[in-house]
Amino acid sequence: MSISVSLSFDHAKVGMRVQDYWGRTGTIRWSGKLEKKDNPPNKETGKHFGVEYDEESENPLRSDGTWGSRRYFTCEPKKGCLVKPGEIYPEINDERVTMLRERFGERVASWHDFELVKFCIARRFEMDKVYEMLEKHLHWREVFQPSAEEYFPQTIKDDYPCGYTGTTDYDENLIYCERPSNAGHCHPSEFVRKYTLPVIGRWHACGMEMGKLRMRATDYHCKRVCYVVDLLNVKAMTRPMIGFAQTLATVEQDNYPENLGRVFIVNCPAFFRFAWKLVKIFIDERTNKKINFCAQGNAVEAMKKVMPESEIPNFCGGTSNKWMETAGGIIGSTDPANAWRGAGYSLPNMTDEELKEMQVKLADENESPIESFREGETPTATRSVGSDFGSNAAASTTNGSPNVNEPRMRKDGAYGPSDTNGKASPNEASR
């Protein structure tokens, strides 16, 4: 069965178990028509179902089955919702999860059920496509080895601060804030030049892994993320910025499906909204509806509709600084020994102190020799850290465009030289 086959109004019955596109499950408690005189909560009239969801939500549209002066059905507070027929489907989560666990066995034994459901939703429960996507993801995890505890240069917190707030919006999406350029401190093109796309790809995956751990801690009561992205003083769209966006999108779409709950792009410059009009035609309608653009000074009114006003970040005009308080604006570990040690990969822009600390720890573990340092020597983007890192690829050109020799993410999920088809080069394949 494909989740694309939604329930028609005539075929759904009160008492039927259902799920919505997001994978949330519940039971139909009422069906009927909403009229304008009823003052429906979502301002939409016509045929609707009253669904009692299994989990509570702080969404203002939820209730105990009463809206205005009319009671449609009775349920526990914060579980009732009125939905249109095309928005719900017969419940098939448990059946599909069982199929995936039987097929992939120990490889997904530690996964939460809803992590498997997300792959089903991404492929609309068409199981052949789900199997293919999940197999590719599991191979990627084996090669890429993403971690929520990976180390990255601490300068990132000044150039591109980001972090989870530890709170949620009304739909239980984790709130995650990020400030590309940090209000003009480091333009995204410069960020790409300084840190390189391989590092940025791993850095983004680290943030995704942190979110997954936070969702698991709630037993997936929190299922997705509300991103708040600040574009203050981002003045132009450049080729390195496009490469940066593609790297993040590739990591997330292929390996963290259904992670996006909604996104607010705040302090949004006019050029970005214009560019988006050219891009949005290639993005499905459901994803487009998740994206909200807010010009400078307009974010608070839009955001307080979906989250408590006390949780709106300070850079949007709100008062919350929780996104900085949780980890100081940086994701991952603060221990340099937790840096990734894959072939052809090294961390740029590390201080002498950070490099020495990492190498001493690696030497203590008998995993890497210590390089010698000359007093006052400044590390460069091309220095490798120990033999496990290999030599870093050539730095980007001065205009921020990636060098052709720079290691890139291949289709198998690894980083290294690639030909025009994304396959490993003969030298790389023979290692």
Side-chain angles (χ1 to χ4, degrees), residues 246-266:
Q246 289 175 334
T247 297
L248 269 57
T250 297
V251 170
E252 187 158 346
Q253 291 177 7
D254 293 349
N255 298 290
Y256 300 93
E258 293 301 315
N259 189 67
L260 175 63
R262 59 170 54 94
V263 58
F264 286 94
I265 301 177
V266 303

Side-chain angles (χ1 to χ4, degrees), residues 164-169 173-176 214 222 311 320 322:
Y164 291 92
T165 66
T167 56
T168 67
D169 64 13
N173 297 308
L174 302 173
I175 300 175
Y176 179 83
R214 287 173 176 266
C222 299
E311 302 301 338
S320 175
K322 293 177 181 177

Side-chain angles (χ1 to χ4, degrees), residues 15 33 35 45 104 110 120 148 177 185 191 195 214 217 232 249 258 297 302 307 314-315 353 365 378 408 419:
K33 292 184 178 180
E35 299 181 7
T45 58
F104 292 98
S110 63
C120 294
C177 301
H185 175 79
F191 185 78
Y195 297 100
R214 287 173 176 266
L232 183 65
E258 293 301 315
M307 67 179 68
N314 49 6
F315 58 81
E353 183 178 348
E365 298 169 3
T378 302
R408 301 170 185 174
D419 61 20

Side-chain angles (χ1 to χ4, degrees), residues 72-375:
Y72 295 83
F73 58 96
T74 300
C75 68
E76 295 181 30
K78 302 180 181 180
K79 287 191 173 183
C81 191
L82 296 173
V83 300
K84 293 185 291 186
E87 296 176 346
I88 57 173
Y89 312 84
E91 182 183 22
I92 53 177
N93 281 359
D94 291 346
E95 175 189 345
R96 296 306 195 258
V97 167
T98 298
M99 292 170 65
L100 291 173
R101 292 202 181 280
E102 289 177 350
R103 186 180 183 97
F104 292 98
E106 289 299 317
R107 300 170 74 188
V108 297
S110 63
W111 287 35
H112 191 281
D113 282 355
F114 200 77
E115 290 169 3
L116 296 172
V117 170
K118 284 187 173 186
F119 280 83
C120 294
I121 295 172
R123 292 296 178 263
R124 305 190 73 81
F125 285 80
E126 296 178 18
M127 296 310 292
D128 287 344
K129 295 180 179 179
V130 175
Y131 293 149
E132 180 182 6
M133 183 182 189
L134 187 52
E135 180 61 50
K136 288 181 178 179
H137 170 72
L138 291 171
H139 175 69
W140 175 83
R141 294 194 72 85
E142 292 168 1
V143 174
F144 197 81
Q145 298 180 33
S147 170
E149 293 297 326
E150 191 166 333
Y151 175 85
F152 298 93
Q154 300 297 285
T155 51
I156 287 182
K157 67 175 178 284
D158 299 317
D159 297 333
Y160 196 128
C162 54
Y164 291 92
T165 66
T167 56
T168 67
D169 64 13
Y170 290 140
D171 290 314
E172 284 73 53
N173 297 308
L174 302 173
I175 300 175
Y176 179 83
C177 301
E178 54 184 280
R179 303 192 75 185
S181 90
N182 197 10
H185 175 79
C186 178
H187 190 274
S189 294
E190 175 66 9
F191 185 78
V192 172
R193 187 194 68 78
K194 288 176 67 174
Y195 297 100
T196 73
L197 292 179
V199 174
I200 291 169
R202 297 200 63 84
W203 171 71
H204 186 57
C206 176
M208 297 295 98
E209 291 294 309
M210 291 177 67
K212 183 187 292 187
L213 291 180
R214 287 173 176 266
M215 293 175 198
R216 285 183 178 180
T218 71
D219 196 25
Y220 268 84
H221 182 69
C222 299
K223 296 177 172 64
R224 291 176 176 80
V225 178
C226 170
Y227 291 94
V228 185
V229 183
D230 179 23
L231 295 186
L232 183 65
N233 289 334
V234 176
K235 301 297 185 182
M237 181 72 73
T238 63
R239 287 184 61 190
M241 284 181 65
I242 295 173
F244 169 79
Q246 289 175 334
T247 297
L248 269 57
T250 297
V251 170
E252 187 158 346
Q253 291 177 7
D254 293 349
N255 298 290
Y256 300 93
E258 293 301 315
N259 189 67
L260 175 63
R262 59 170 54 94
V263 58
F264 286 94
I265 301 177
V266 303
N267 299 318
C268 187
F271 83 85
F272 192 90
R273 292 196 296 273
F274 174 77
W276 181 255
K277 291 180 180 179
L278 303 178
V279 174
K280 66 183 296 185
I281 60 176
F282 301 105
I283 299 176
D284 67 89
E285 181 181 0
R286 192 179 297 274
T287 300
N288 271 312
K289 288 182 177 180
K290 298 178 183 179
I291 301 172
N292 305 274
F293 296 96
C294 303
Q296 192 167 356
N298 294 341
V300 171
E301 287 302 311
M303 295 177 71
K304 69 182 184 181
K305 296 177 182 178
V306 299
M307 67 179 68
E309 195 165 354
S310 61
E311 302 301 338
I312 298 176
N314 49 6
F315 58 81
C316 302
T319 59
S320 175
N321 195 40
K322 293 177 181 177
W323 68 284
M324 283 292 290
E325 294 170 354
T326 52
I330 193 167
I331 59 176
S333 170
T334 58
D335 186 348
N338 288 339
W340 173 247
R341 283 169 265 171
Y345 174 91
S346 64
L347 289 176
N349 301 297
M350 295 180 69
T351 65
D352 277 342
E353 183 178 348
E354 289 174 329
L355 285 166
K356 289 177 180 178
E357 182 180 354
M358 176 188 293
Q359 292 178 329
V360 167
K361 289 188 176 184
L362 294 179
D364 289 342
E365 298 169 3
N366 295 317
E367 293 184 356
S368 175
I370 299 179
E371 288 183 350
S372 61
F373 287 87
R374 293 192 299 273
E375 188 68 28

